[in-house]
Amino acid sequence: MSAARQFPSEFVDRLIAGDGQAFNELVDQTSAGIYGLGLRMLGNAQDAEDMLQETFLKAHNALRGFEKRSSLYTWLYRIATNEALMMLRRRKSEFHFDSEPATQEEAENGEEVVDWCCLPEKEFISEETRSELTRAAVKLSNALRMVFLLRDVRGFSTRETAEILQVNEEVVKTRLVRARVKLRDELSGYFRERLQGQGNNG
């Protein structure tokens, strides 16, 4: 299911017109998701809070020029992701697996890397598993981490993710394959223990 919300056109018109109450409603409805993205992307609460504040400040200043070519939701997340990436570039000291482009074989076999070692879907909503994924995702390159967070954590579609990151859909698909492969390899031990635990309890 797509993560993008469709705000009523009247609500968007109010925002563009400078309605303060409408902007407060926008903040209330979207701040938790944007903060969560920032926390996973940047790794600490203070940076995520700074990213959140800068996102809404820039959105507020840019709303009068919003032309409705994309959904308001994806437009807002584009601002947020750009802000997070700028903050990461300023650090100049991130950990990552690598930044090599995906091979043709990886791109073509992307659909084979979605089962996460056959764990049932309920495993992905457990706090423990989410924590492990977040820990491992920190080691991804910026580009791979952002695609993973938008697609697999926030639930944006491929098209929406491409729109947010301003790349084409094939780039999103390729990066997502690569991110999933790397995360699967990084977490293989953890997933193996989970599967063994299920077998012992069965």
Side-chain angles (χ1 to χ4, degrees):
M1 175 181 290
S2 169
R5 302 177 184 178
Q6 294 300 320
F7 291 100
S9 59
E10 313 85 68
F11 178 75
V12 177
D13 289 340
R14 287 170 57 200
L15 284 168
I16 295 173
D19 187 319
Q21 180 58 40
F23 188 77
N24 289 339
E25 292 175 22
L26 178 68
V27 172
D28 289 342
Q29 293 181 46
T30 60
S31 59
I34 292 173
Y35 176 81
L37 176 71
L39 192 60
R40 292 181 176 92
M41 192 69 193
L42 300 168
N44 69 77
Q46 184 58 59
D47 283 351
E49 184 67 32
D50 291 345
M51 185 210 78
L52 183 68
Q53 292 180 10
E54 284 299 313
T55 295
F56 284 116
L57 177 61
K58 290 180 178 179
H60 185 272
N61 293 337
L63 268 169
R64 289 187 181 275
F66 179 58
E67 299 179 348
K68 304 181 183 180
R69 294 178 181 174
S70 60
S71 77
L72 179 65
Y73 202 61
T74 55
W75 177 80
L76 187 61
Y77 266 80
R78 186 185 307 152
I79 295 173
T81 55
N82 285 339
E83 186 61 31
L85 290 170
M86 283 192 292
M87 292 176 72
L88 285 169
R89 291 187 190 109
R90 287 197 292 267
R91 287 182 183 175
K92 298 181 180 179
S93 60
E94 62 167 321
F95 294 100
H96 57 83
F97 289 117
D98 66 62
S99 56
E100 294 296 320
T103 65
Q104 183 66 25
E105 181 180 0
E106 285 175 330
E108 291 175 352
N109 294 330
E111 293 304 314
E112 300 176 8
V113 195
V114 298
D115 59 3
W116 290 96
C117 302
C118 306
L119 280 175
E121 184 178 355
K122 64 181 180 181
E123 285 296 327
F124 294 100
I125 62 175
S126 73
E127 197 62 36
E128 179 186 347
T129 302
R130 285 185 177 275
S131 177
E132 289 295 318
L133 281 170
T134 299
R135 177 190 62 77
V138 170
K139 297 182 180 180
L140 293 170
S141 66
N142 290 344
L144 299 188
R145 193 185 334 158
M146 190 61 80
V147 167
F148 169 73
L149 292 175
L150 290 171
R151 284 285 286 114
D152 283 353
V153 177
R154 293 301 304 152
F156 283 99
S157 69
T158 298
R159 180 185 60 79
E160 291 160 348
T161 302
E163 190 174 337
I164 290 170
L165 298 177
Q166 296 182 296
V167 297
N168 64 54
E169 293 185 26
E170 290 305 312
V171 169
V172 171
K173 292 176 183 177
T174 300
R175 289 179 182 175
L176 185 62
V177 168
R178 200 159 173 79
R180 286 173 173 172
V181 168
K182 291 177 183 299
L183 289 172
R184 184 189 62 183
D185 291 345
E186 175 74 3
L187 295 174
S188 59
Y190 168 78
F191 285 156
R192 191 178 304 112
E193 290 178 6
R194 297 296 295 174
L195 287 171
Q196 291 173 347
Q198 290 170 8
N200 293 335
N201 294 329

